[in-house]
Amino acid sequence: MKAPISRRAFLRDTTLLTLAGLVPGPMRNALAAPSAALRLGPALVFSYETLTERAKALAKKPHTPPPRPLPQVVQRIDYEAWGQIRYRTESALFAEGPGLYPATFFHVGQFFQKSVKIHVLENGQAREILYNNDYFVMPKDSIAHKLSDKTGFAGFRLQESRNREDWRTQDWIAFLGASYFRAIGALNQYGLSARGIIVDAAEPKPEEFPDFTEFFIEETDNEGDPVHVYALLDGPSLTGAYHFAIKRTEGVVQDIEAQLFLRKDVGRLGFAPLTSMYWFSETEKRRLEDWRPEVHDSDGLAIWTGGGERLWRPLVNPSYPVTSSFVDKSPKGFGLLQRDRVFEDYLDGVNYERRPSLWVEPLEDWGAGAVQLVELPTDDEIHDNIVAYWRPAEPAKVGNTYRLRYRLHWLADEPYPAAVARCVATRIGRGGQPGKPRPKGVYKFSVEFAGAALDPLWGDTVKAEPVITTSSGTVGGAFMEPIPGTKRWRAIFDLTPQGGEPVELRLYIRGNGDALTETWLYQFRPPAGG
C-alpha cells in the first residue's frame, strides 16, 4: 500500500507537465487538499475555452478510442463481481472538505470497460486523480486485484452534502459509461438517464456512442451554489466540450453548455437526448408476461411546442423499432415524464412510482427541427428501450460546429405545468358495447384527463366535447363523461382502422371554443388478425 499524499507534499509539488488543452502555469493559487488519501498528478492551468480548443483540434485528427485497461481481466469483472467492489468514502474527493459534495469513483468492469481521466479543479488549475487499487474495498479473490495503478476510473458520482450525516451512503448524480449521466429527482430515486449526444440512433447502420473521456470537477462549499463539471467528448464522428453547472435543489437542475465539432457526416444527430425504459402500463395489458400491473421508468413524452401547444404522447413497447417525429420550431421544452405516482399501480419494491421525470428546457432558440421519439421492443425491464431528443432540421455535415445551451430538470413533474388539464391514463380494449357481439377489428379508447381546467364541467356551465382526428380509418361513438369517485373526465371513442398500417390519433377536450386539455397523441398499431 502506497503512503497517502500529505497536504504539505501536495502544496510542495509544483512540477508542471504539458498536456493538450491544459496550459502549465505558476502555482499562484494553491489547490486546497481534496483528500489526504488521494494521489494527484501535477497542476495545470485549465479553462473551458482551452477545453473547447482542444476538442476543436481533436476533430481534425483521426479518432483514437479511449483506453481499455487489461481487457482479459476487466472482461471477467461481471455484474456480480463489479457490485462487490466498493469505493472507500474516506478516500472521497473532499471527504473532509472544503468541497461540499464529496466525489467517489466507479471501478471499471465488464459493462464499463473504458477508463476516463478525472481531475479536481480549483482556482483555474487542474490535477488528475490517479487510480489506486487501495481506494476500493474488494474481496481478496477479486480479479480486479490484477489491475495496475494506471487503470483509471470508469466514472464518478457526487455524494450528498457533507452537512448530512448520511452523505457516505447517499449520492445524487453520476456520470458512468459513454456519455451517459443520471440524477435523482425530487423523490430521491434514480431512474432514466441523459446523454451528451445522439449519433445515428435508429439508423440502418450501428449507433455510435461517443465517450466522455475526461472530467474536471470544480466543487462549491456553499449550499445552493452549483458544482461545475467540465467534460471532453470524443467519438468517431465528432468531438465536444461540455460544461455542466449542477445544482442540488428539490431534485437536480443542470445548466449545460456544449460546443460540438463534426469529424464526419452524421445521418441522425440528436441534441439533449434522454434514455428511459417502458415495458408495459395500463395502456397495454399483457397476459401472463409479468405479475405486476405496470413496469416503466417513464410513461410518456411531453412537448411544449414553440407555438405554445402542450402535447402528451403515451409511450409504447412496439413489436418492431419505431421512430416518431414531432416537427417544431423554437420548442419551449420536452421531456420523458413519470406521471403515475400510485404505488398500487406497480406493487414493487424498486420504487417505480418515485422515478424522476426529466425535462429539457432550451436556453436559446433552437430553430427548426423535430423532437424525435425512438421506441424499441423489449421483453424485460433491464433494457432501456426509449430515447427522446431534438434533431435539427439542417443536415449534420463534416466540419459543422454547434453551440448548445439548455437546462435539465430532474424533478417529480415538469417544471412549468400547463394551465390546461393533463392526460393521466390511456386505456384500450375491444370496441362495441358490453353485452352485445363485439365487432371484429374495432377498438375502444378511453383517454383520461385531470386538472383544474376541467372544474367548470362539474357545474354544467361549459359545453365540452372531445375533438378527435385520425390519419386513417374511422372514429365513431365519441363522447365524454366524469369518472365516478374521481375528479377525472374521460373521452371515449371507437376506432376502426383501415388495413394493418399504424394509425396516428390526436385528441383534446374543447369547451366553449377553447382547449381545456393538452393534446393527446397516440400511434396505434392494429394487432395481426384484428
Side-chain angles (χ1 to χ4, degrees):
M1 180 175 177
K2 291 181 172 60
I5 186 169
S6 66
R7 176 177 172 82
R8 183 185 298 274
F10 182 91
L11 296 176
R12 184 184 65 232
D13 185 3
T14 58
T15 303
L16 300 174
L17 300 178
T18 302
L19 294 177
L22 295 176
V23 183
M27 292 279 290
R28 290 185 296 272
N29 297 305
L31 292 169
S35 172
L38 290 176
R39 295 169 54 240
L40 301 173
L44 298 160
V45 174
F46 173 88
S47 70
Y48 181 59
E49 290 71 24
T50 59
L51 184 67
T52 301
E53 287 301 314
R54 184 178 177 190
K56 184 177 180 180
L58 277 176
K60 298 177 181 179
K61 302 176 182 179
H63 173 245
T64 301
R68 293 176 179 264
L70 289 179
Q72 67 275 22
V73 173
V74 174
Q75 182 62 34
R76 294 171 60 187
I77 306 176
D78 59 16
Y79 182 80
E80 182 178 358
W82 190 75
Q84 294 175 337
I85 300 174
R86 181 178 59 83
Y87 191 84
R88 300 178 187 272
T89 53
E90 61 268 26
S91 297
L93 177 66
F94 296 122
E96 304 298 331
L100 188 62
Y101 302 102
T104 57
F105 307 100
F106 292 104
H107 203 279
V108 293
Q110 187 179 96
F111 296 101
F112 308 103
Q113 298 185 26
K114 303 172 186 177
S115 62
V116 300
K117 291 184 177 181
I118 302 176
H119 308 74
V120 57
L121 176 63
E122 191 173 32
N123 296 324
Q125 297 193 0
R127 301 186 76 170
E128 184 181 354
I129 300 165
L130 304 177
Y131 170 89
N132 190 322
N133 242 337
D134 294 338
Y135 299 158
F136 296 89
V137 177
M138 61 183 74
K140 291 182 178 180
D141 60 351
S142 175
I143 189 68
H145 286 294
K146 294 183 178 294
L147 296 172
S148 73
D149 285 348
K150 296 182 179 180
T151 296
F153 305 102
F156 74 96
R157 57 188 167 191
L158 296 181
Q159 305 295 127
E160 291 284 13
S161 166
R162 289 186 297 103
N163 295 330
R164 288 179 43 162
E165 293 184 359
D166 63 350
W167 75 261
R168 295 177 183 274
T169 60
Q170 303 296 319
D171 56 294
W172 56 280
I173 190 167
F175 291 78
L176 178 64
S179 67
Y180 285 87
F181 55 97
R182 62 179 186 159
I184 63 175
L187 303 177
N188 296 315
Q189 176 66 45
Y190 281 114
L192 76 172
S193 301
R195 293 160 65 177
I197 199 71
I198 282 282
V199 178
D200 288 337
E203 288 286 296
K205 57 184 177 181
E207 181 176 352
E208 181 181 313
F209 292 88
D211 296 282
F212 285 139
T213 58
E214 295 193 36
F215 291 102
F216 302 82
I217 305 171
E218 185 175 33
E219 273 280 11
T220 178
D221 57 4
N222 294 315
E223 297 272 6
D225 287 346
V227 175
H228 295 276
V229 173
Y230 302 85
L232 178 66
L233 181 84
D234 197 7
S237 296
L238 82 174
T239 64
Y242 282 72
H243 173 204
F244 302 86
I246 314 169
K247 286 187 177 182
R248 180 70 171 103
T249 61
E250 178 187 7
V252 175
V253 175
Q254 294 174 280
D255 281 4
I256 300 175
E257 180 178 358
Q259 303 219 35
L260 300 168
F261 307 90
L262 265 58
R263 277 192 173 106
K264 302 178 181 179
D265 293 351
V266 174
R268 189 186 302 267
L269 185 66
F271 298 154
L274 317 179
T275 300
S276 192
M277 180 276 295
Y278 173 87
W279 188 9
F280 60 90
S281 66
E282 84 284 344
T283 305
E284 296 183 336
K285 299 182 289 294
R286 300 191 170 199
R287 297 183 62 189
L288 304 181
E289 189 163 5
D290 192 86
W291 57 271
R292 294 162 292 183
E294 302 185 32
V295 177
H296 50 79
D297 284 335
S298 307
D299 52 12
L301 168 68
I303 302 174
W304 188 5
T305 71
E309 186 178 16
R310 298 289 190 137
L311 307 178
W312 174 252
R313 165 63 154 75
L315 297 178
V316 173
N317 179 6
S319 56
Y320 52 86
V322 175
T323 300
S324 302
S325 292
F326 306 91
V327 177
D328 198 11
K329 186 176 182 181
S330 308
K332 293 180 171 63
F334 68 92
L336 291 176
L337 310 184
Q338 183 79 315
R339 283 188 171 173
D340 191 337
R341 298 295 181 188
V342 179
F343 171 75
E344 287 76 10
D345 289 345
Y346 303 97
L347 298 175
D348 199 337
V350 297
N351 303 320
Y352 282 120
E353 75 282 358
R354 290 169 45 196
R355 302 296 168 108
S357 295
L358 181 51
W359 183 262
V360 179
E361 176 189 359
L363 298 179
E364 58 192 2
D365 187 348
W366 281 5
V371 175
Q372 292 196 324
L373 174 67
V374 178
E375 296 165 300
L376 304 175
T378 187
D379 60 1
D380 206 329
E381 63 202 286
I382 63 173
H383 305 297
D384 282 347
N385 64 318
I386 303 295
V387 183
Y389 52 86
W390 173 258
R391 183 182 183 183
E394 293 297 321
K397 297 295 185 181
V398 59
N400 282 11
T401 63
Y402 302 89
R403 178 181 177 272
L404 296 175
R405 292 180 59 247
Y406 60 98
R407 180 172 293 149
L408 294 183
H409 301 262
W410 305 78
L411 300 169
D413 202 349
E414 53 194 287
Y416 307 109
V420 294
R422 57 167 42 181
C423 177
V424 293
T426 301
R427 307 180 194 277
I428 307 173
R430 294 185 298 166
Q433 299 299 320
K436 296 181 179 181
R438 300 297 181 99
K440 185 176 181 180
V442 179
Y443 304 90
K444 188 174 295 294
F445 285 75
S446 173
V447 184
E448 300 178 12
F449 294 93
L454 297 178
D455 287 350
L457 301 185
W458 297 94
D460 294 326
T461 59
V462 174
K463 179 177 176 56
E465 61 180 346
V467 179
I468 308 166
T469 57
T470 177
S471 62
S472 63
T474 58
V475 169
F479 68 96
M480 56 179 293
E481 64 180 6
I483 302 176
T486 75
K487 293 287 288 182
R488 298 181 178 185
W489 286 76
R490 60 188 168 208
I492 297 178
F493 64 93
D494 280 356
L495 171 69
T496 305
Q498 184 177 10
E501 293 301 311
V503 181
E504 298 290 347
L505 294 164
R506 185 181 181 95
L507 178 153
Y508 70 96
I509 293 176
R510 181 170 60 198
N512 288 354
D514 297 322
L516 301 180
T517 69
E518 63 189 1
T519 300
W520 169 88
L521 307 175
Y522 197 77
Q523 186 181 83
F524 179 65
R525 303 171 185 86

